[in-house]
């Protein structure tokens, strides 16, 4: 069973979900009708602000509150456009939002905005994180109090513009189907949560036989990194973009490598989906989006949640993404 979280004419996507102070908080992208024609570079996703949502109690039945606009483009000194998927983490009573936006030269950077409460409002830092690039930043708080950011997205997300040493490249080459797929990135955050503590590293997604996942594999990485822990293992999950799946892989530490396990969810209606996985009161939930309410119109996406289950080996049972409810 699935649940839409907002009225059918309110479009939000890319839900990053955390439990703060015992309550579910959702940090989504805010879609609206921009009229910009769809292209392969996601130019139609021209989002201008962020809202925060919270749920009273159970994700499948609890009342959803929209806390309104908590950060907007015109208040971010360096940002030009396209406020895409964000995430928020808490440290020492402060809440840090990490968000991608194109800077005034058209390059995606990671901004940071700070709040005193999980529901915001968030005050942006004057500059993006030094050395940041690409999109879809998701931050894990590990059990030892370290924070790790996972990021990257291909095509409109610009990951192909960088090599694995984090240098911008002049000649962009997409891997051939028989070559390893692009690698998302992981980086430890600085103690003050405002910068990277090290250079971002490529994440290796390996097949069960320890060979690198290939670009021609339908389970290849495309965008939408998420990390959660289950029984002490690190579950890295992602969207495959053009094959429209959510997949996951398991590792023993936050940097990987991660061994491919399977599909989290089969394709939804609409080109993208994007997700987060969270435990609440002993049950596990997959937050995501689809386009049933907009009749399949990809720029207008709707937030959903469903419960997920693990088997006794820690494998997640695949969710059928095609069903509306
Ligand atoms: O919402 C804009 C982009 O679409 C996100 O950053 C991607 O993950 C995809 O969902």
């Amino acid at each position: 069973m699935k649940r839409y979280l907002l009225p059918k004419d309110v479009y939000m996507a890319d839900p990053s979900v955390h439990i703060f102070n015992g309550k579910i908080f959702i940090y989504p992208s805010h879609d609206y009708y921009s009229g910009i024609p769809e292209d392969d570079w996601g130019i139609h996703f021209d989002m201008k602000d962020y809202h925060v949502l919270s749920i009273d109690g159970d994700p499948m039945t609890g009342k959803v509150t929209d806390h309104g606009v908590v950060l907007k483009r015109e208040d971010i000194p360096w940002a030009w456009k396209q406020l895409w998927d964000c995430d928020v983490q808490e440290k020492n009573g402060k809440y840090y939002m990490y968000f991608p936006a194109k800077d005034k030269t058209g390059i995606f950077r990671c901004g940071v905005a700070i709040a005193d409460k999980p529901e915001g409002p968030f005050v942006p830092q004057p500059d993006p994180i030094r050395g940041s690039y690409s999109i879809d930043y998701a931050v894990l708080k590990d059990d030892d109090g370290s924070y790790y950011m996972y990021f990257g997205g291909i095509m409109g997300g610009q990951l192909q513009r960088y090599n694995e040493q984090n240098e911008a490249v002049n000649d962009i080459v997409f891997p051939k189907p028989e070559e390893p797929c692009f690698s998302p990135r992981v980086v430890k955050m600085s103690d003050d949560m405002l910068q990277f503590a090290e250079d971002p590293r490529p994440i290796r997604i390996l097949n069960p036989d320890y060979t690198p996942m290939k670009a021609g594999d339908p389970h290849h990485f495309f965008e939408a990194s998420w990390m959660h822990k289950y029984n002490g293992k690190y579950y890295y999950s992602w969207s495959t973009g053009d094959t429209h799946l959510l997949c996951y892989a398991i590792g023993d530490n936050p940097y990987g490598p991660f061994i491919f396990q399977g599909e989290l969810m089969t394709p939804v209606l609409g080109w993208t989906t994007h997700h987060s996985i969270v435990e609440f009161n002993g049950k596990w939930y997959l937050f995501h989006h689809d386009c049933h309410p907009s009749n399949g119109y990809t720029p207008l996406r709707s937030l959903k949640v469903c419960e997920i289950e693990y088997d006794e080996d820690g494998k997640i049972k695949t969710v059928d993404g095609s069903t509306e409810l």
Side-chain angles (χ1 to χ4, degrees):
M1 206 177 79
K2 297 176 185 146
R3 176 197 189 190
Y4 283 104
L5 293 166
L6 291 168
K8 298 237 162 169
D9 58 349
V10 179
Y11 298 105
M12 297 196 193
D14 307 329
S16 295
V17 178
H18 296 280
I19 315 299
F20 294 132
N21 308 324
K23 188 168 180 164
I24 295 176
F25 284 89
I26 306 171
Y27 301 93
S29 306
H30 184 198
D31 289 351
Y32 73 101
Y33 180 72
S34 68
I36 298 170
E38 288 178 62
D39 71 5
D40 289 344
W41 305 91
I43 198 76
H44 42 285
F45 295 126
D46 188 36
M47 294 82 105
K48 299 183 291 196
D49 59 28
Y50 292 109
H51 286 227
V52 174
L53 311 177
S54 63
I55 305 180
D56 289 339
D58 189 277
M60 301 304 293
T61 55
K63 177 172 172 261
V64 178
T65 301
D66 181 348
H67 296 274
V69 175
V70 297
L71 178 64
K72 50 186 193 300
R73 186 181 59 195
E74 54 263 42
D75 294 337
I76 307 164
W78 57 270
W80 175 34
K81 64 176 183 174
Q82 289 178 288
L83 304 187
W84 286 10
D85 159 66
C86 70
D87 194 13
V88 169
Q89 268 296 0
E90 180 273 343
K91 184 172 182 180
N92 298 333
K94 295 271 186 207
Y95 296 83
Y96 298 86
M97 176 183 280
Y98 300 95
F99 62 92
K102 280 186 179 160
D103 69 11
K104 287 167 184 154
T105 68
I107 301 297
F108 272 115
R109 306 282 180 205
C110 180
V112 188
I114 304 171
D116 293 325
K117 296 178 291 182
E119 64 269 34
F122 288 84
V123 178
Q125 294 290 104
D127 297 299
I129 292 179
R130 283 190 297 279
S132 63
Y133 59 92
S134 202
I135 60 163
D136 289 357
Y137 314 114
V139 181
L140 170 79
K141 178 181 185 178
D142 209 347
D143 301 332
D144 67 356
S146 303
Y147 293 79
Y148 297 91
M149 177 186 284
Y150 298 83
F151 69 94
I154 299 165
M155 298 292 291
Q158 302 181 342
L159 186 64
Q160 68 277 0
R161 291 178 176 226
Y162 300 85
N163 63 24
E164 293 191 350
Q165 293 72 48
N166 307 302
E167 299 158 332
V169 293
N170 291 323
D171 299 317
I172 295 169
V173 181
F174 284 82
K176 297 189 178 69
E178 65 277 13
E179 294 176 343
C181 62
F182 279 117
S183 294
R185 307 290 200 264
V186 54
V187 61
K188 191 172 187 177
M189 299 304 295
S190 61
D191 285 344
D192 66 6
M193 301 291 275
L194 300 179
Q195 300 292 339
F196 296 156
E198 59 186 3
D199 292 335
R201 312 179 192 188
I203 293 173
R204 302 298 174 210
I205 302 172
L206 304 180
N207 295 306
D209 65 1
Y210 298 102
T211 57
M213 179 169 282
K214 297 204 167 116
D217 187 316
H219 305 115
H220 59 250
F221 168 79
F222 190 94
E223 62 185 8
S225 291
W226 187 254
M227 174 61 78
H228 75 279
K229 291 183 79 174
Y230 179 77
N231 282 348
K233 297 278 189 194
Y234 293 78
Y235 282 59
Y236 173 70
S237 50
W238 66 93
S239 161
T240 66
D242 48 10
T243 54
H244 314 292
L245 300 162
L246 295 178
C247 292
Y248 74 107
I250 297 179
D252 292 323
N253 71 79
Y255 292 107
F258 300 100
I259 311 298
F260 178 70
Q261 302 294 316
E263 296 173 5
L264 269 179
M265 196 167 72
T266 61
V268 301
L269 182 66
W271 198 89
T272 73
T273 192
H274 184 135
H275 67 295
S276 55
I277 296 170
V278 70
E279 182 182 20
F280 184 75
N281 279 351
K283 292 182 175 179
W284 287 86
Y285 297 92
L286 177 72
F287 289 79
H288 58 287
H289 67 242
D290 73 13
C291 294
H292 280 288
S294 67
N295 298 314
Y297 181 58
T298 287
L300 296 178
R301 301 164 295 176
S302 297
L303 293 177
K304 301 179 84 165
V305 60
C306 63
E307 200 178 331
I308 55 169
E309 290 177 292
Y310 299 82
D311 70 16
E312 60 277 10
D313 298 323
K315 288 222 176 201
I316 300 172
K317 296 185 186 167
T318 307
V319 175
D320 177 2
S322 68
T323 58
E324 192 170 3
L325 292 173

